[in-house]
Coordinates of all heavy atoms in Angstrom, one line a residue:
M1 N -45.7 77.1 -92.7 CA -47.1 76.6 -92.7 C -48.1 77.7 -92.9 O -47.8 78.9 -92.5 CB -47.4 75.8 -91.5 CG -47.8 76.6 -90.2 SD -48.2 75.6 -88.8 CE -49.9 76.3 -88.5
K2 N -49.2 77.4 -93.5 CA -50.2 78.5 -93.7 C -51.5 78.2 -92.8 O -52.0 77.0 -92.9 CB -50.6 78.6 -95.1 CG -49.5 79.0 -96.1 CD -50.0 79.0 -97.5 CE -49.0 79.2 -98.5 NZ -48.3 80.5 -98.4
C3 N -52.0 79.1 -92.1 CA -53.1 78.9 -91.2 C -54.4 79.0 -92.2 O -54.4 80.0 -92.9 CB -53.2 79.8 -90.1 SG -54.7 79.6 -89.1
P4 N -55.4 78.2 -92.1 CA -56.6 78.4 -92.9 C -57.3 79.6 -92.6 O -58.2 80.0 -93.4 CB -57.4 77.1 -92.6 CG -56.8 76.5 -91.3 CD -55.4 77.0 -91.3
N5 N -57.1 80.2 -91.4 CA -57.8 81.4 -91.0 C -57.4 82.6 -91.8 O -58.1 83.4 -92.2 CB -57.6 81.7 -89.5 CG -58.4 80.7 -88.7 OD1 -59.5 80.3 -89.0 ND2 -57.8 80.3 -87.6
C6 N -56.0 82.7 -92.0 CA -55.5 83.9 -92.6 C -54.8 83.6 -93.9 O -54.6 84.5 -94.7 CB -54.5 84.6 -91.6 SG -53.1 83.5 -91.2
G7 N -54.4 82.3 -94.1 CA -53.7 82.0 -95.3 C -52.3 82.5 -95.5 O -51.6 82.3 -96.5
Q8 N -51.8 83.2 -94.4 CA -50.5 83.6 -94.5 C -49.4 82.6 -94.1 O -49.7 81.7 -93.3 CB -50.4 84.8 -93.5 CG -51.3 86.0 -93.8 CD -50.8 86.8 -95.0 OE1 -49.7 87.1 -95.2 NE2 -51.7 87.1 -95.9
E9 N -48.2 82.7 -94.6 CA -47.2 81.9 -94.2 C -46.8 82.2 -92.8 O -46.6 83.4 -92.5 CB -46.0 82.1 -95.1 CG -44.9 81.1 -94.9 CD -45.2 79.7 -95.4 OE1 -46.1 79.5 -96.3 OE2 -44.7 78.7 -94.9
M10 N -46.8 81.3 -91.9 CA -46.5 81.5 -90.5 C -45.1 81.1 -90.1 O -44.7 80.1 -90.6 CB -47.5 80.8 -89.6 CG -49.0 81.3 -89.9 SD -50.2 80.6 -88.8 CE -49.9 81.5 -87.4
R11 N -44.5 81.9 -89.3 CA -43.1 81.7 -88.9 C -43.2 80.7 -87.7 O -43.8 81.0 -86.7 CB -42.5 83.0 -88.5 CG -41.1 82.9 -88.0 CD -40.6 84.2 -87.6 NE -39.6 84.1 -86.6 CZ -39.2 85.0 -85.7 NH1 -40.0 86.1 -85.7 NH2 -38.3 84.8 -84.8
P12 N -42.4 79.6 -87.8 CA -42.4 78.7 -86.7 C -41.5 79.3 -85.6 O -40.5 79.9 -85.8 CB -41.8 77.4 -87.3 CG -40.9 77.9 -88.5 CD -41.6 79.1 -89.0
G13 N -41.9 79.0 -84.4 CA -41.1 79.5 -83.3 C -41.8 79.1 -82.0 O -42.7 78.3 -82.0
F14 N -41.4 79.8 -80.9 CA -42.0 79.4 -79.6 C -42.3 80.7 -78.9 O -41.6 81.6 -78.8 CB -40.9 78.6 -78.8 CG -40.6 77.3 -79.4 CD1 -39.4 77.2 -80.3 CD2 -41.3 76.2 -79.2 CE1 -39.1 76.0 -80.9 CE2 -41.0 75.0 -79.8 CZ -39.9 74.9 -80.6
L15 N -43.5 80.6 -78.3 CA -44.0 81.6 -77.3 C -43.6 81.2 -76.0 O -43.9 80.0 -75.6 CB -45.4 81.8 -77.5 CG -46.1 82.9 -76.5 CD1 -45.7 84.3 -77.0 CD2 -47.6 82.7 -76.5
F16 N -42.8 81.9 -75.2 CA -42.4 81.4 -73.9 C -42.4 82.5 -72.9 O -42.3 83.7 -73.2 CB -41.0 80.8 -74.0 CG -39.9 81.7 -74.5 CD1 -39.1 82.5 -73.7 CD2 -39.7 81.9 -75.9 CE1 -38.2 83.4 -74.1 CE2 -38.8 82.8 -76.4 CZ -38.0 83.5 -75.5
S17 N -42.4 82.1 -71.6 CA -42.3 83.1 -70.5 C -40.9 83.2 -70.1 O -40.1 82.3 -70.2 CB -43.2 82.6 -69.3 OG -42.6 81.4 -68.9
T18 N -40.5 84.4 -69.7 CA -39.2 84.7 -69.2 C -39.2 84.8 -67.7 O -40.2 85.0 -67.1 CB -38.6 86.0 -69.8 OG1 -39.4 87.1 -69.4 CG2 -38.7 85.9 -71.3
K19 N -38.0 84.7 -67.2 CA -38.0 84.7 -65.7 C -38.3 86.1 -65.1 O -38.5 86.2 -63.9 CB -36.6 84.2 -65.2 CG -35.4 85.0 -65.7 CD -34.1 84.3 -65.3 CE -32.9 85.0 -66.0 NZ -31.7 84.3 -65.7
D20 N -38.3 87.1 -65.9 CA -38.7 88.4 -65.4 C -40.1 88.7 -65.8 O -40.5 89.9 -65.7 CB -37.7 89.5 -65.9 CG -37.5 89.5 -67.4 OD1 -38.2 88.7 -68.1 OD2 -36.6 90.1 -67.9
G21 N -41.0 87.8 -66.1 CA -42.4 88.0 -66.2 C -42.9 88.5 -67.5 O -43.8 89.3 -67.5
A22 N -42.3 88.2 -68.6 CA -42.7 88.6 -69.9 C -42.9 87.4 -70.8 O -42.4 86.3 -70.6 CB -41.7 89.5 -70.5
L23 N -43.7 87.6 -71.9 CA -43.8 86.6 -72.9 C -43.0 87.1 -74.1 O -43.0 88.3 -74.4 CB -45.3 86.5 -73.4 CG -46.2 85.7 -72.5 CD1 -47.6 85.7 -73.1 CD2 -45.8 84.2 -72.4
S24 N -42.3 86.2 -74.7 CA -41.4 86.4 -75.8 C -41.5 85.4 -76.9 O -42.1 84.3 -76.6 CB -40.0 86.6 -75.4 OG -39.8 87.6 -74.4
F25 N -41.1 85.7 -78.0 CA -41.1 84.7 -79.1 C -39.7 84.7 -79.7 O -39.0 85.7 -79.8 CB -42.1 85.2 -80.2 CG -42.2 84.3 -81.4 CD1 -43.2 83.3 -81.5 CD2 -41.3 84.4 -82.5 CE1 -43.3 82.5 -82.6 CE2 -41.4 83.6 -83.6 CZ -42.4 82.7 -83.6
A26 N -39.3 83.4 -80.0 CA -37.9 83.3 -80.6 C -38.0 82.0 -81.4 O -38.9 81.2 -81.4 CB -36.9 83.3 -79.6
D27 N -36.9 81.8 -82.2 CA -36.8 80.6 -83.0 C -36.7 79.3 -82.2 O -37.1 78.3 -82.6 CB -35.5 80.7 -83.9 CG -35.7 81.8 -85.0 OD1 -36.8 82.4 -85.1 OD2 -34.7 82.1 -85.7
E28 N -36.1 79.5 -81.0 CA -36.0 78.4 -80.1 C -36.1 78.9 -78.7 O -35.8 80.1 -78.4 CB -34.8 77.6 -80.3 CG -33.5 78.4 -80.0 CD -32.2 77.5 -80.3 OE1 -32.4 76.5 -81.0 OE2 -31.2 78.0 -79.9
V29 N -36.5 78.1 -77.7 CA -36.6 78.5 -76.4 C -35.2 78.6 -75.8 O -34.5 77.6 -75.7 CB -37.5 77.6 -75.5 CG1 -37.6 78.0 -74.1 CG2 -38.9 77.5 -76.1
P30 N -34.8 79.7 -75.4 CA -33.4 79.8 -74.7 C -33.4 79.1 -73.4 O -34.4 79.0 -72.7 CB -33.2 81.3 -74.6 CG -34.6 81.9 -74.5 CD -35.5 81.0 -75.3
S31 N -32.2 78.7 -73.0 CA -32.0 78.1 -71.7 C -32.4 79.1 -70.6 O -32.4 80.3 -70.8 CB -30.6 77.6 -71.5 OG -29.8 78.6 -71.1
W32 N -32.8 78.5 -69.5 CA -33.2 79.3 -68.4 C -32.2 80.4 -68.0 O -32.5 81.5 -67.5 CB -33.6 78.4 -67.2 CG -34.3 79.1 -66.1 CD1 -33.8 79.3 -64.8 CD2 -35.6 79.7 -66.1 NE1 -34.8 80.0 -64.1 CE2 -35.9 80.2 -64.8 CE3 -36.6 79.8 -67.1 CZ2 -37.1 80.9 -64.5 CZ3 -37.8 80.4 -66.7 CH2 -38.0 80.9 -65.5
L33 N -30.9 80.0 -68.1 CA -29.9 80.9 -67.6 C -29.4 81.9 -68.6 O -28.8 82.9 -68.3 CB -28.6 80.0 -67.3 CG -28.8 79.0 -66.1 CD1 -27.6 78.2 -65.9 CD2 -29.1 79.8 -64.8
R34 N -30.0 81.8 -69.9 CA -29.5 82.7 -70.9 C -30.5 83.9 -71.0 O -31.7 83.7 -70.8 CB -29.6 81.9 -72.2 CG -29.0 82.6 -73.4 CD -28.9 81.7 -74.6 NE -28.6 82.4 -75.8 CZ -28.9 82.1 -77.0 NH1 -29.7 81.0 -77.2 NH2 -28.6 82.7 -78.1
N35 N -30.0 85.0 -71.3 CA -30.9 86.2 -71.4 C -31.7 86.0 -72.7 O -31.2 85.8 -73.7 CB -30.0 87.5 -71.5 CG -30.9 88.7 -71.5 OD1 -32.0 88.7 -72.0 ND2 -30.4 89.7 -70.9
A36 N -33.0 86.0 -72.5 CA -33.9 85.7 -73.7 C -33.7 86.7 -74.8 O -33.9 86.3 -76.0 CB -35.4 85.7 -73.2
K37 N -33.3 87.9 -74.5 CA -33.1 88.9 -75.6 C -32.0 88.5 -76.6 O -32.0 89.0 -77.7 CB -32.7 90.2 -75.0 CG -33.9 91.0 -74.3 CD -33.5 92.4 -73.9 CE -34.7 93.1 -73.4 NZ -35.0 92.6 -72.0
H38 N -31.1 87.6 -76.2 CA -30.0 87.1 -77.0 C -30.4 85.9 -77.9 O -29.6 85.5 -78.6 CB -28.8 86.9 -76.2 CG -28.3 88.1 -75.4 ND1 -27.7 88.0 -74.2 CD2 -28.4 89.4 -75.7 CE1 -27.4 89.2 -73.8 NE2 -27.9 90.1 -74.7
A39 N -31.7 85.4 -77.7 CA -32.0 84.2 -78.5 C -32.2 84.6 -80.0 O -32.6 85.7 -80.3 CB -33.4 83.7 -78.0
E40 N -32.0 83.7 -80.9 CA -32.1 83.9 -82.3 C -33.5 84.2 -82.6 O -34.5 83.5 -82.2 CB -31.6 82.6 -83.0 CG -31.3 82.8 -84.5 CD -30.1 83.6 -84.7 OE1 -29.2 83.5 -83.9 OE2 -30.0 84.3 -85.7
G41 N -33.8 85.3 -83.4 CA -35.1 85.7 -83.8 C -35.9 86.2 -82.7 O -37.2 86.2 -82.8
F42 N -35.3 86.8 -81.6 CA -36.1 87.3 -80.5 C -37.1 88.4 -80.9 O -36.7 89.3 -81.6 CB -35.1 87.8 -79.5 CG -35.8 88.4 -78.2 CD1 -36.3 87.6 -77.2 CD2 -36.0 89.8 -78.2 CE1 -37.0 88.1 -76.1 CE2 -36.7 90.3 -77.1 CZ -37.1 89.5 -76.0
V43 N -38.3 88.3 -80.4 CA -39.3 89.4 -80.5 C -39.9 89.6 -79.1 O -40.4 88.6 -78.5 CB -40.4 89.0 -81.5 CG1 -41.5 90.1 -81.5 CG2 -39.8 88.7 -82.9
K44 N -39.9 90.8 -78.6 CA -40.5 91.1 -77.3 C -42.1 91.1 -77.6 O -42.6 91.8 -78.4 CB -40.1 92.4 -76.8 CG -40.7 92.7 -75.4 CD -40.0 93.9 -74.8 CE -40.4 95.2 -75.5 NZ -39.9 96.4 -74.7
V45 N -42.8 90.3 -76.8 CA -44.2 90.2 -76.9 C -44.9 91.0 -75.8 O -45.9 91.7 -76.1 CB -44.7 88.7 -76.8 CG1 -46.2 88.6 -76.9 CG2 -44.0 87.9 -78.0
T46 N -44.5 90.9 -74.6 CA -45.0 91.7 -73.5 C -43.9 92.4 -72.8 O -42.7 92.0 -72.8 CB -45.8 90.9 -72.5 OG1 -44.9 90.0 -71.8 CG2 -46.9 90.0 -73.2
E47 N -44.2 93.4 -72.1 CA -43.3 94.2 -71.3 C -42.9 93.3 -70.0 O -43.7 92.5 -69.5 CB -43.9 95.5 -70.8 CG -44.2 96.5 -71.9 CD -42.9 97.0 -72.6 OE1 -41.8 97.0 -72.0 OE2 -43.0 97.3 -73.8
V48 N -41.7 93.6 -69.5 CA -41.3 92.9 -68.3 C -42.1 93.4 -67.1 O -42.3 94.7 -66.9 CB -39.8 93.2 -68.0 CG1 -39.4 92.8 -66.6 CG2 -39.0 92.5 -69.1
R49 N -42.7 92.5 -66.4 CA -43.5 92.9 -65.2 C -43.2 91.9 -64.1 O -43.9 90.9 -64.0 CB -45.0 92.9 -65.5 CG -45.5 94.0 -66.4 CD -47.0 93.9 -66.7 NE -47.7 94.2 -65.5 CZ -49.0 93.8 -65.3 NH1 -49.6 93.0 -66.2 NH2 -49.6 94.1 -64.2
P50 N -42.2 92.1 -63.3 CA -41.8 91.2 -62.3 C -43.0 90.8 -61.3 O -43.8 91.7 -61.0 CB -40.7 91.9 -61.5 CG -40.1 92.8 -62.5 CD -41.3 93.3 -63.4
N51 N -43.1 89.6 -60.9 CA -44.1 89.1 -60.0 C -45.5 89.2 -60.6 O -46.5 89.2 -59.9 CB -44.1 89.9 -58.7 CG -42.7 89.9 -58.0 OD1 -42.1 88.8 -58.0 ND2 -42.2 91.0 -57.5
H52 N -45.6 89.2 -61.9 CA -46.9 89.0 -62.6 C -46.7 87.8 -63.5 O -45.7 87.5 -64.0 CB -47.3 90.2 -63.4 CG -47.7 91.4 -62.6 ND1 -46.8 92.2 -61.9 CD2 -48.9 91.9 -62.4 CE1 -47.5 93.1 -61.3 NE2 -48.8 93.0 -61.5
R53 N -47.9 87.1 -63.7 CA -47.9 86.0 -64.6 C -48.0 86.6 -66.0 O -48.9 87.3 -66.3 CB -49.1 85.1 -64.4 CG -49.1 83.8 -65.2 CD -50.2 82.9 -64.8 NE -50.3 82.5 -63.4 CZ -49.5 81.5 -62.9 NH1 -48.7 80.9 -63.7 NH2 -49.6 81.2 -61.6
A54 N -47.1 86.2 -66.9 CA -47.1 86.7 -68.3 C -48.3 86.1 -69.0 O -48.6 85.0 -69.0 CB -45.8 86.3 -69.0
S55 N -49.0 87.0 -69.7 CA -50.1 86.5 -70.5 C -50.3 87.5 -71.7 O -49.9 88.7 -71.6 CB -51.4 86.4 -69.7 OG -51.8 87.7 -69.2
I56 N -51.0 87.0 -72.7 CA -51.3 87.9 -73.9 C -52.5 87.4 -74.5 O -52.8 86.2 -74.5 CB -50.1 87.8 -74.9 CG1 -50.3 88.8 -76.1 CG2 -49.9 86.4 -75.4 CD1 -49.5 90.1 -75.9
D57 N -53.4 88.4 -75.0 CA -54.6 88.0 -75.7 C -54.1 87.2 -77.0 O -53.2 87.6 -77.7 CB -55.3 89.2 -76.2 CG -56.0 89.9 -75.0 OD1 -56.1 89.3 -73.9 OD2 -56.4 91.1 -75.1
A58 N -54.8 86.1 -77.2 CA -54.5 85.3 -78.4 C -55.8 84.6 -78.9 O -56.8 84.5 -78.2 CB -53.5 84.2 -78.0
Q59 N -55.7 84.3 -80.2 CA -56.8 83.5 -80.8 C -56.3 82.1 -81.2 O -55.3 82.0 -81.8 CB -57.4 84.2 -82.0 CG -57.9 85.6 -81.6 CD -58.8 86.2 -82.7 OE1 -59.4 85.6 -83.5 NE2 -58.8 87.5 -82.6
C60 N -57.0 81.1 -80.7 CA -56.5 79.7 -81.0 C -57.4 79.0 -81.9 O -58.6 79.0 -81.8 CB -56.4 79.0 -79.6 SG -56.0 77.3 -79.7
C61 N -56.8 78.4 -82.9 CA -57.6 77.5 -83.8 C -57.2 76.1 -83.4 O -56.2 75.6 -83.7 CB -57.1 77.8 -85.2 SG -57.9 76.6 -86.4
E62 N -58.2 75.4 -82.7 CA -57.9 74.1 -82.2 C -57.8 73.1 -83.3 O -57.2 72.0 -83.2 CB -59.0 73.7 -81.2 CG -58.9 74.5 -79.9 CD -59.8 73.9 -78.8 OE1 -59.7 72.7 -78.6 OE2 -60.5 74.7 -78.2
A63 N -58.5 73.4 -84.4 CA -58.6 72.4 -85.5 C -57.1 72.2 -86.1 O -56.8 71.1 -86.4 CB -59.5 72.9 -86.6
C64 N -56.4 73.3 -86.2 CA -55.0 73.2 -86.8 C -54.0 73.5 -85.7 O -52.8 73.6 -86.1 CB -54.9 74.1 -88.0 SG -55.0 75.8 -87.7
R65 N -54.4 73.7 -84.5 CA -53.5 73.9 -83.4 C -52.6 75.2 -83.7 O -51.3 75.1 -83.6 CB -52.6 72.7 -83.1 CG -53.4 71.5 -82.6 CD -52.6 70.3 -82.2 NE -51.8 70.6 -81.0 CZ -52.2 70.4 -79.8 NH1 -53.5 70.1 -79.6 NH2 -51.5 70.7 -78.8
T66 N -53.2 76.2 -84.1 CA -52.6 77.5 -84.4 C -53.0 78.5 -83.4 O -54.1 78.7 -83.0 CB -52.9 77.9 -85.8 OG1 -52.5 76.9 -86.7 CG2 -52.3 79.2 -86.1
I67 N -52.0 79.3 -82.9 CA -52.3 80.4 -82.0 C -51.8 81.7 -82.8 O -50.7 81.7 -83.2 CB -51.6 80.3 -80.7 CG1 -52.2 79.1 -79.9 CG2 -51.7 81.6 -79.9 CD1 -51.5 78.9 -78.5
V68 N -52.7 82.6 -82.9 CA -52.3 83.9 -83.5 C -52.4 85.0 -82.4 O -53.4 85.1 -81.7 CB -53.3 84.3 -84.6 CG1 -53.0 85.6 -85.2 CG2 -53.3 83.2 -85.7
I69 N -51.4 85.8 -82.3 CA -51.3 86.8 -81.2 C -50.9 88.1 -81.8 O -50.0 88.2 -82.7 CB -50.2 86.3 -80.2 CG1 -50.6 85.1 -79.5 CG2 -49.9 87.5 -79.2 CD1 -49.4 84.4 -78.8
N70 N -51.6 89.1 -81.3 CA -51.2 90.5 -81.6 C -50.6 91.0 -80.4 O -51.0 91.0 -79.3 CB -52.4 91.4 -82.0 CG -53.1 90.9 -83.3 OD1 -52.5 90.6 -84.2 ND2 -54.4 90.8 -83.2
Y71 N -49.4 91.6 -80.6 CA -48.6 92.2 -79.5 C -48.2 93.6 -79.8 O -48.3 94.0 -80.9 CB -47.4 91.3 -79.2 CG -46.3 91.4 -80.2 CD1 -45.2 92.3 -80.1 CD2 -46.3 90.6 -81.4 CE1 -44.2 92.4 -81.0 CE2 -45.3 90.7 -82.3 CZ -44.3 91.6 -82.1 OH -43.3 91.7 -83.1
Ligands
ZN101 ZN1 -56.2 77.4 -88.1

C-alpha cells in the first residue's frame, strides 16, 4: 500500500512489544514464547530496556490509519 503522505510503497507488518521491553517489527507477531529475533522479517526498532515501557516516536495519519516510524 502507498501512504498519501509519502507515496512510498509500504511494507505490511506489525509493530509489537517484546517481553524484554523493546519494540520490534516483523511480518507477523511471534508467539509470546518465541524469541522475537527469530520472527520472519524481524527488524529491531528499540533497544532492550527491561522494566521500561517500550515506545517510539511515530507519526500517525488517522485518515488512512498509517503509522510512520523512524528508528
Ligand atoms: Zn496517510
Side-chain angles (χ1 to χ4, degrees):
M1 84 179 232
K2 295 180 187 297
C3 180
N5 288 323
C6 63
Q8 298 289 312
E9 190 70 25
M10 298 183 79
R11 178 180 154 207
F14 298 93
L15 181 72
F16 59 94
S17 62
T18 64
K19 57 188 174 186
D20 50 13
L23 283 176
S24 300
F25 180 93
D27 293 352
E28 61 183 15
V29 179
S31 83
W32 189 248
L33 296 174
R34 189 176 171 205
N35 188 324
K37 287 189 174 72
H38 300 148
E40 196 71 29
F42 177 83
V43 177
K44 182 168 72 175
V45 178
T46 66
E47 296 293 333
V48 170
R49 291 180 66 202
N51 303 317
H52 285 76
R53 188 178 299 280
S55 63
I56 186 101
D57 288 346
Q59 299 193 27
C60 177
C61 174
E62 291 191 48
C64 64
R65 299 183 67 83
T66 298
I67 292 177
V68 177
I69 295 167
N70 293 317
Y71 70 93

